[in-house]
């Protein structure tokens, strides 16, 4: 922040500095903590008031960019990390990792790696997930940092593969192919990677808006997310179909709807600048908990299945090619000597899948996700699946 003591002290020093003299870290160490320049390098540079100096602020004038090549600054950041680790924090989310230094991915990867390794020395189970808001190839390349997770913006995002599949724009077979691609190409760079799929986040319109409040599509998107490898991230409110409005950040970050009574204990006011007319098409948590077929209880069933079957998060994926066609797809996931099958029907129709003669022909139904607790049946190798359903076999 431009209100931070480091920045305030650095600017104060520059105001007192003779015009023909270069700043010295020995006199003010904080002048090396930022990108100061006597020239306005580009439109992301802002003038230090009362001086002929400028500073870089790629996102905003009130967010001066740190000079992460400065070793004393890095030590400061490591000390800050230690403070939180000592408080019991187990991991960090690294914001805007590809913007540490613009257009310098190798440098940014080194910064991520340095902090990760520093924290792992204190806590071998330390976790890091980084925001690299970019296409597949850039996300893949950032795994060269040898840090565990990058948010998967190829799968997530309002135009990502998970939401497109839930909408029916992308077919299940294509999503299954992408799952294998993530596995093969991410692991080729970092064998210990942990994928971090998601649907939307605090910078996007909410999933209910993107899916036009279609309850079935919202459930389908959540089910697809919970069957992904790695550690899926749920943005609070997705599990009850909360709404947003427009592009204003505050409208994407309204308070969680715990209760149908806005004055109930535990309800927060949310951002003061948010519009007051953002109404969800779906009930708050208190009412959804009582509705067996609510979005919330669908998510709870999906999470239970995920926890009961560790192959879902950790298994090596193999396509069952003969069963991957159009809105139907089937894969196996193998972990620690155990294999499950997952069959998807992302269409709006009931389908029957003939699994006889395939890798999952001898398996039985282990569990399933259907929109309103409809039954999936398996008889004589024929798996009958309702619209927008997922079946796990073992």
């Amino acid at each position: 922040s431009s209100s931070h003591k480091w920045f305030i002290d650095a600017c104060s020093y520059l105001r007192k500095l003779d015009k023909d003299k270069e700043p010295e870290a020995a006199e003010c160490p904080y002048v090396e903590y930022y990108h100061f320049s006597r020239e306005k390098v580009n439109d992301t540079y802002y003038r230090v008031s009362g001086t002929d100096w400028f500073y870089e602020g790629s996102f905003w004038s009130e967010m001066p960019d740190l000079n992460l090549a400065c070793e004393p600054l890095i030590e400061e950041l490591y000390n800050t990390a230690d403070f939180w680790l000592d408080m019991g924090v187990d991991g960090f989310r690294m914001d805007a990792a590809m913007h540490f230094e613009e257009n310098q991915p190798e440098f940014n990867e080194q910064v991520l790696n340095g902090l990760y390794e520093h924290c792992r020395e204190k806590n071998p189970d330390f976790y890091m997930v980084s925001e690299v808001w970019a296409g597949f190839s850039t996300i893949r390349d950032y795994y060269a940092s040898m840090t565990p997770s990058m948010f998967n913006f190829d799968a997530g995002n309002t135009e990502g593969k998970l939401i497109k599949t839930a909408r029916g724009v992308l077919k299940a077979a294509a999503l299954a192919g992408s799952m294998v691609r993530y596995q093969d190409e991410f692991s080729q760079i970092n064998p210990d990677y942990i994928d971090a799929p998601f649907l939307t986040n605090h910078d996007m319109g909410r999933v209910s808006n993107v899916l036009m409040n279609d309850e079935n599509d919202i459930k389908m998107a959540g089910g697809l997310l919970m069957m992904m490898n790695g550690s899926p991230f749920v943005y609070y409110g997705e599990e009850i179909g909360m709404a947003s409005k427009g592009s204003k950040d505050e409208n994407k970050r309204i308070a969680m709807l715990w209760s149908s009574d806005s004055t109930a204990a535990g309800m927060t006011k949310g951002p003061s600048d948010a519009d007051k007319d953002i109404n969800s098409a779906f009930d708050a948590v208190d009412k959804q908990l009582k509705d067996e077929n609510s979005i919330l209880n669908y998510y709870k069933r999906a999470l239970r299945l995920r926890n009961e079957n560790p192959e879902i998060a950790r298994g090596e994926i193999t396509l069952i090619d003969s069963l991957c066609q159009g809105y139907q797809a089937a894969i196996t996931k193998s972990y620690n000597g155990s294999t499950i099958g997952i069959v998807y029907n992302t269409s709006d129709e009931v389908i029957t899948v003939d699994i006889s003669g395939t890798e999952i022909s001898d398996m039985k139904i282990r569990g399933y996700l259907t929109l309103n607790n409809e039954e999936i049946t398996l008889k004589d190798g024929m798996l009958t699946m309702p619209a927008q359903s997922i079946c796990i076999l073992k």
Side-chain angles (χ1 to χ4, degrees):
S1 166
S2 59
S3 299
H4 195 285
K5 182 182 184 300
W6 297 345
F7 189 71
I8 291 172
D9 286 0
C11 292
S12 296
Y13 170 73
L14 292 175
R15 290 189 189 99
K16 298 172 186 175
L17 192 67
D18 292 341
K19 287 192 175 184
D20 59 349
K21 187 178 179 184
E22 289 297 312
E24 295 183 21
E27 296 175 348
C28 177
Y30 305 129
V31 291
E32 290 191 341
Y33 282 25
Y34 302 91
H35 296 295
F36 289 112
S37 171
R38 290 190 185 273
E39 299 178 357
K40 185 178 175 66
V41 178
N42 55 43
D43 288 341
T44 66
Y45 274 72
Y46 301 88
R47 186 182 295 276
V48 177
S49 62
T51 75
D52 293 331
W53 287 88
F54 296 85
Y55 65 93
E56 185 182 23
S58 295
F59 283 90
W60 184 32
S61 61
E62 306 306 303
M63 293 173 64
D65 282 15
L66 294 171
N67 173 21
L68 295 172
C70 173
E71 291 189 11
L73 168 65
I74 290 294
E75 287 303 313
E76 294 262 25
L77 297 179
Y78 285 3
N79 290 337
T80 303
D82 289 346
F83 171 85
W84 291 109
L85 293 173
D86 291 341
M87 292 285 283
V89 168
D90 292 315
F92 297 138
R93 170 196 178 276
M94 303 303 291
D95 190 60
M98 64 187 291
H99 300 288
F100 292 164
E101 288 292 344
E102 298 296 334
N103 303 311
Q104 294 189 37
E106 290 184 4
F107 174 84
N108 298 338
E109 291 160 13
Q110 290 171 6
V111 173
L112 288 173
N113 179 267
L115 178 61
Y116 180 64
E117 293 301 332
H118 171 85
C119 293
R120 284 224 307 169
E121 287 182 9
K122 295 194 62 130
N123 176 6
D125 293 326
F126 173 80
Y127 176 70
M128 176 186 285
V129 57
S130 300
E131 181 198 33
V132 177
W133 195 332
F136 170 82
S137 59
T138 301
I139 295 168
R140 176 199 61 205
D141 293 348
Y142 265 82
Y143 275 110
S145 66
M146 303 311 288
T147 60
S149 293
M150 308 292 148
F151 283 114
N152 191 337
F153 281 86
D154 188 72
N157 205 340
T158 54
E159 287 297 315
K161 290 183 170 61
L162 290 169
I163 286 179
K164 281 187 172 181
T165 305
R167 289 171 55 200
V169 175
L170 188 73
K171 295 180 178 177
L175 176 64
S178 293
M179 292 180 197
V180 173
R181 187 185 184 202
Y182 301 146
Q183 168 183 274
D184 292 349
E185 297 201 29
F186 293 167
S187 65
Q188 190 172 11
I189 295 177
N190 181 357
D192 297 322
Y193 90 100
I194 302 168
D195 198 8
F198 68 101
L199 296 178
T200 63
N201 65 24
H202 61 287
D203 290 319
M204 303 171 186
R206 285 186 169 275
V207 67
S208 61
N209 294 69
V210 180
L211 295 177
M212 306 294 288
N213 290 326
D214 186 311
E215 183 172 345
N216 291 346
D217 287 354
I218 292 170
K219 288 177 178 177
M220 182 86 266
L224 293 171
L225 174 65
M226 289 305 161
M227 294 300 109
M228 293 288 284
N229 278 43
S231 295
F233 283 75
V234 177
Y235 181 41
Y236 78 90
E238 285 180 344
E239 73 276 37
I240 60 169
M242 269 176 62
S244 61
K245 181 182 177 183
S247 60
K248 188 175 174 181
D249 278 350
E250 289 85 351
N251 289 351
K252 303 166 187 172
R253 305 169 189 182
I254 59 173
M256 179 70 179
L257 298 176
W258 295 108
S259 172
S260 306
D261 176 6
S262 61
T263 65
M267 290 288 286
T268 58
K269 294 180 180 178
S272 58
D273 291 336
D275 293 346
K276 306 304 179 187
D277 61 345
I278 303 174
N279 299 310
S280 174
F282 305 100
D283 289 328
V285 170
D286 57 350
K287 288 188 176 180
Q288 288 206 29
L289 282 171
K290 299 173 184 176
D291 178 0
E292 183 181 8
N293 294 325
S294 68
I295 299 170
L296 178 56
N297 278 317
Y298 179 95
Y299 264 81
K300 288 166 73 71
R301 288 192 291 274
L303 284 164
R304 185 179 70 245
L305 283 173
R306 185 178 183 85
N307 289 332
E308 289 173 349
N309 298 280
E311 299 93 341
I312 294 175
R314 299 172 175 84
E316 181 177 354
I317 306 168
T318 303
L319 294 178
I320 304 176
D321 292 321
S322 62
L323 299 182
C324 290
Q325 47 192 319
Y327 296 103
Q328 169 191 303
I331 60 175
T332 60
K333 290 192 179 188
S334 300
Y335 173 70
N336 272 0
S338 176
T339 298
I340 62 169
I342 306 179
V343 184
Y344 300 83
N345 172 19
T346 60
S347 76
D348 293 327
E349 308 292 335
V350 177
I351 66 170
T352 299
V353 184
D354 184 358
I355 67 171
S356 57
T358 70
E359 299 90 320
I360 58 175
S361 60
D362 294 330
M363 294 185 180
K364 297 179 180 178
I365 293 175
R366 167 84 170 163
Y368 51 76
L369 287 171
T370 54
L371 297 175
N372 295 295
N373 280 309
E374 300 94 336
E375 187 180 8
I376 292 180
T377 62
L378 175 61
K379 185 176 181 181
D380 298 329
M382 305 301 287
L383 187 69
T384 302
M385 303 181 66
Q388 293 185 296
S389 61
I390 302 170
C391 185
I392 299 170
L393 301 107
K394 189 170 184 179

